Amino acid sequence: NAGVTQTPKFQVLKTGQSMTLQCAQDMNHNSMYWYRQDPGMGLRLIYYSASEGTTDKGEVPNGYNVSRLNKREFSLRLESAAPSQTSVYFCASEAHRAETQYFGPGTRLLVL
Amino acid sequence: KQEVTQIPAALSVPEGENLVLNCSFTDSAIYNLQWFRQDPGKGLTSLLLIQSSQREQTSGRLNASLDKSSGRSTLYIAASQPGDSATYLCAVSGTGNQFYFGTGTSLTVIP
């Protein structure tokens, strides 16, 4: 039981490049989340998926798109990376509303 | 918009001491509150979850309390150990699926 896994662990991009961050969970959870963590800002919600087939914007969705591919997988795409998107990205999942969130190990992204 | 504040930002204590971490939030209409632990370079690990109808939760040496009306929660750590050194984050969820995190308290327990 791996929990929540994220790939890649670390990525360097040039401004304007695109990439997709992958997240998968093997706990049969309904809800999945993408956060970014910046120094002094705490974690901020980018997008979430309350159930398979649905996605909704969080606090900071601009510049990102998401896909809930199936119940297990939730990907985050940067279409045209900007230096302001340099951050640590965390994926999380939750069995049902108002239950414990489980986090992945994070992806460290540097945009030059 | 919900604002979550954690004070102090950093705390250093000798081993064995009992300590309290504080979390405050501006909107009392929360669904639940969670305390997390984050080790350097790692993801978050949930420590305690308090539903809005509850007043406290306990797990081992940890006790978290919730006073929704005053917008406050505390995390009490008894008999601190060097292994407790980490950043502690609190997060509140509202009626939607939005979760709001504080910026954390960095705890160092000195042997």
Side-chain angles (χ1 to χ4, degrees):
Chain A
N1 193 338
V4 180
T5 57
Q6 293 184 236
T7 55
K9 286 186 170 54
F10 181 72
Q11 183 73 44
V12 179
L13 290 179
K14 294 181 180 178
T15 297
Q17 287 185 318
S18 63
M19 78 163 293
T20 299
L21 283 65
Q22 306 286 355
C23 173
Q25 52 90 9
D26 62 1
M27 297 174 282
N28 201 36
H29 285 174
N30 289 311
S31 303
M32 297 185 74
Y33 303 82
W34 276 106
Y35 295 93
R36 59 178 290 173
Q37 185 176 35
D38 303 291
M41 298 288 292
L43 276 84
R44 291 179 292 169
L45 182 64
I46 305 171
Y47 270 94
Y48 65 94
S49 171
S51 61
E52 186 179 353
T54 67
T55 60
D56 283 288
K57 295 178 181 179
E59 187 182 353
V60 288
N62 291 344
Y64 306 95
N65 286 300
V66 291
S67 295
R68 183 76 183 266
L69 305 169
N70 48 54
K71 194 169 186 180
R72 289 187 64 249
E73 298 171 289
F74 188 37
S75 63
L76 178 72
R77 182 160 179 84
L78 287 70
E79 292 291 352
S80 179
S84 61
Q85 294 178 304
T86 292
S87 188
V88 182
Y89 292 85
F90 288 101
C91 177
S93 71
E94 181 183 70
H96 301 286
R97 184 78 174 89
E99 295 188 2
T100 298
Q101 287 205 343
Y102 294 84
F103 280 76
T107 293
R108 282 151 185 77
L109 176 65
L110 174 62
V111 183
L112 302 174
Chain B
K1 181 193 157 209
Q2 178 76 268
E3 300 285 343
V4 181
T5 303
Q6 291 186 247
I7 294 173
L11 181 64
S12 184
V13 300
E15 181 177 1
E17 193 163 293
N18 302 326
L19 60 102
V20 174
L21 306 180
N22 297 294
C23 173
S24 62
F25 46 95
T26 54
D27 185 350
S28 62
I30 66 169
Y31 213 78
N32 65 33
L33 183 144
Q34 296 189 50
W35 281 94
F36 293 89
R37 169 187 173 133
Q38 184 175 28
D39 293 288
K42 305 289 186 184
L44 281 69
T45 301
S46 181
L47 297 173
L48 289 164
L49 168 68
I50 310 177
Q51 302 293 352
S52 62
S53 59
Q54 297 174 321
R55 296 284 292 185
E56 66 177 342
Q57 282 286 336
T58 298
S59 176
R61 295 183 293 109
L62 305 179
N63 176 275
S65 67
L66 174 64
D67 184 343
K68 216 170 64 159
S69 61
S70 68
R72 293 182 182 179
S73 175
T74 61
L75 178 65
Y76 175 82
I77 301 177
S80 58
Q81 303 170 358
D84 294 331
S85 297
T87 296
Y88 292 81
L89 298 151
C90 74
V92 298
S93 68
T95 52
N97 276 74
Q98 292 272 7
F99 283 81
Y100 296 93
F101 282 78
T103 52
T105 294
S106 177
L107 173 66
T108 302
V109 180
I110 304 165

